[in-house]
């Protein structure tokens, strides 16, 4: 709502209050007609009411003059913020709703944000659909299934195969089909099991090409981060496979929307070697020298690679065997 509209609304409220005060005074006077009374008492009450009404009218007139004196809104309107397109791949598991709920309630506090949620599923599930409808966020809901040969099987360690590849690529395709060269924005890949500081989103918002920052609790160390000298990235602090082209976590960078749109072939590769998924995208977009360090030259940790502990369901399994399992119609 513009400042001019706000002022019109406030003026309308002032006149409405003035009208209501006048009506109340008139109704009170009419109610007293024909009633036996102590004229002295009612005279005093009427006098008090008139004085009260006059004070109210005087106050409202002062408010009206103050608003009129302000005239036009102070200063030019603020420019619209670039949109942060937050891409979240997700898949069905027991903690999915809890993870998405936590993330959605963080994103609610970020202005000018569009959430792109992509399920690893042949169809959109009702759980995710309903959660997004209730989230209060601008969103896009997509789905695509990971090819069977690249899907983790029960008992496989998380690192065995790259996850969320086709889902992130579908989100990039959606952006290319629904946004154009004149659209300002930044693209961030936010997994549903991480923890995000609100400060992080303001750090990335005005990314020109690719911005970078540290990620906590990742790679077997307290944090991984780009090394910065004189405002330029010169290397990376990491213990695991430091010779990767871009030894970074998915949560540690954001890409400008115009840069992605200008490079239609940029995508993540299913065939990328372990730990090189991020590099498969970034190598097609930017050099290390062009990276834009954020978060106080990459000295502040504003995102953490946390993971929710997998729930232990031994008691639930035992109850199911007895025919006493929990009600499956109650969504968790």
């Amino acid at each position: 709502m513009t400042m001019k509209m706000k002022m019109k609304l406030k003026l309308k409220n002032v006149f409405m209050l003035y009208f209501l005060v006048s009506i109340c005074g008139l109704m009170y006077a009419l109610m007293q007609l024909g009633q036996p009374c102590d004229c002295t008492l009612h005279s005093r009450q009427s006098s008090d009411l008139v004085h009260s009404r006059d004070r109210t009218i005087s106050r409202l007139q002062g408010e009206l003059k103050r608003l009129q004196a302000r005239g036009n809104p102070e200063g030019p309107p603020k420019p619209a913020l670039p949109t942060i397109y937050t891409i979240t791949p997700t898949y069905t598991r027991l903690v999915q709703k809890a993870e998405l709920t936590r993330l959605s309630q963080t994103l609610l506090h970020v202005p000018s944000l569009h959430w792109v949620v992509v399920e690893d599923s042949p169809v959109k599930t009702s759980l995710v659909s309903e959660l997004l409808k209730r989230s209060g966020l601008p969103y896009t809901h997509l789905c695509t299934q990971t090819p069977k040969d690249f899907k983790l099987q029960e008992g496989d360690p998380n690192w065995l195969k790259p996850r969320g590849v086709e889902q992130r690529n579908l989100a990039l395709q959606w952006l290319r089909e629904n946004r154009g060269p004149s659209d300002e924005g930044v693209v961030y890949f936010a997994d549903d099991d991480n923890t995000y500081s609100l400060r992080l989103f303001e750090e990335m918002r005005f990314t020109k090409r690719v911005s970078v920052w540290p990620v906590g609790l990742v790679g077997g160390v307290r944090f991984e981060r780009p090394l910065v000298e004189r405002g330029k990235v010169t290397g990376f602090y990491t213990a695991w496979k430091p010779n990767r082209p871009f030894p970074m976590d998915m949560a540690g960078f954001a890409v400008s929307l115009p840069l992605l749109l200008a490079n239609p072939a940029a995508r993540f590769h299913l065939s990328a070697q372990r730990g090189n998924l991020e590099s498969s995208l970034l190598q097609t977009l930017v050099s290390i020298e062009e990276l834009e360090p954020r978060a106080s030259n990459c000295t502040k940790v504003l995102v953490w690679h946390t993971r929710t502990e997998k729930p232990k369901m031994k008691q639930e399994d035992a109850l199911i065997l007895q025919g006493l399992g929990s009600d499956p119609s109650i969504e968790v």
Side-chain angles (χ1 to χ4, degrees):
M1 183 181 292
T2 65
M3 184 66 72
K4 189 172 183 180
M5 291 176 65
K6 288 181 179 177
M7 189 176 74
K8 286 182 177 179
L9 183 60
K10 197 160 187 180
L11 285 171
K12 182 179 178 181
N13 292 339
V14 169
F15 286 123
M16 182 61 71
L17 186 56
Y18 179 90
F19 176 74
L20 290 175
V21 170
S22 299
I23 289 295
C24 288
L26 180 60
M27 290 180 64
Y28 179 82
L30 290 173
M31 290 172 63
Q32 306 308 310
L33 291 176
Q35 297 292 327
C37 64
D38 181 342
C39 293
T40 303
L41 174 62
H42 280 278
S43 177
R44 186 165 55 250
Q45 289 177 339
S46 297
S47 177
D48 291 343
L49 180 62
V50 168
H51 288 309
S52 175
R53 187 191 65 179
D54 288 344
R55 285 194 298 270
T56 302
I57 291 172
S58 177
R59 181 176 59 80
L60 292 175
Q61 288 175 335
E63 178 73 5
L64 178 59
K65 289 179 180 178
R66 186 183 67 81
L67 290 171
Q68 289 173 335
R70 289 183 62 178
N72 293 327
E74 297 175 2
K78 293 181 180 179
L81 292 171
T83 301
I84 299 175
Y85 294 94
T86 304
I87 296 173
T88 300
T90 188
Y91 65 98
T92 300
R93 75 259 197 215
L94 198 54
V95 297
Q96 182 185 30
K97 186 176 182 180
E99 301 279 33
L100 290 174
T101 297
R102 178 176 58 184
L103 177 55
S104 70
Q105 292 179 2
T106 295
L107 300 182
L108 266 175
H109 297 280
V110 182
S112 191
L113 180 142
H114 188 104
W115 197 16
V116 184
V117 178
V118 193
E119 293 192 70
D120 188 347
S121 169
V123 296
K124 299 174 185 177
T125 65
S126 60
L127 184 150
V128 175
S129 295
E130 292 303 313
L131 185 145
L132 289 172
K133 288 177 185 176
R134 295 192 301 268
S135 70
L137 288 161
Y139 71 88
T140 295
H141 186 192
L142 306 171
C143 67
T144 186
Q145 198 163 21
T146 299
K148 186 176 180 180
D149 292 344
F150 290 91
K151 204 171 182 70
L152 287 173
Q153 304 301 313
E154 186 68 30
D156 286 346
N158 290 334
W159 49 260
L160 187 62
K161 296 175 182 177
R163 295 175 296 158
V165 179
E166 295 296 85
Q167 290 71 40
R168 295 185 185 96
N169 285 336
L170 181 60
L172 295 180
Q173 178 183 328
W174 180 86
L175 285 170
R176 288 172 175 133
E177 292 174 354
N178 293 275
R179 297 296 183 267
S182 62
D183 291 309
E184 294 185 0
V186 60
V187 180
Y188 182 51
F189 303 97
D191 289 351
D192 61 8
D193 56 354
N194 290 342
T195 302
Y196 305 90
S197 166
L198 295 178
R199 287 175 53 196
L200 175 68
F201 297 94
E202 298 315 311
E203 292 282 341
M204 72 176 71
R205 190 178 295 278
F206 295 98
T207 298
K208 295 181 176 63
R209 294 181 66 81
V210 176
S211 55
V212 294
W213 46 80
V215 178
L217 310 178
V218 67
V221 291
R222 292 175 59 237
F223 58 83
E224 291 180 341
R225 75 178 186 98
L227 300 173
V228 180
E229 293 182 10
R230 298 180 181 177
K232 294 288 185 180
V233 175
T234 58
F236 298 88
Y237 174 78
T238 182
W240 187 74
K241 287 192 174 183
N243 294 324
R244 290 173 287 161
F246 289 86
M248 300 165 57
D249 186 78
M250 192 70 68
F253 66 91
V255 182
S256 77
L257 178 62
L259 180 63
L260 273 174
L261 298 181
N263 291 271
R267 64 194 303 272
F268 296 98
H269 295 286
L270 269 173
S271 58
Q273 294 182 2
R274 181 185 170 197
N276 283 268
L277 186 60
E278 295 83 354
S279 298
S280 69
L281 174 75
L282 292 174
Q283 280 180 300
T284 64
L285 296 173
V286 73
S287 66
I288 289 178
E289 293 75 19
E290 294 174 307
L291 294 175
E292 303 160 38
R294 295 287 195 268
S296 301
N297 276 332
C298 298
T299 62
K300 304 293 184 185
V301 176
L302 301 176
V303 55
W304 297 264
H305 201 275
T306 50
R307 288 195 181 117
T308 300
E309 182 181 2
K310 186 176 181 179
K312 297 177 176 63
M313 293 287 110
K314 290 182 179 179
Q315 298 301 326
E316 181 77 23
D317 294 339
L319 289 171
I320 290 173
L321 291 175
Q322 301 172 44
L324 300 172
S326 60
D327 186 346
S329 68
I330 297 178
E331 188 178 85
V332 176

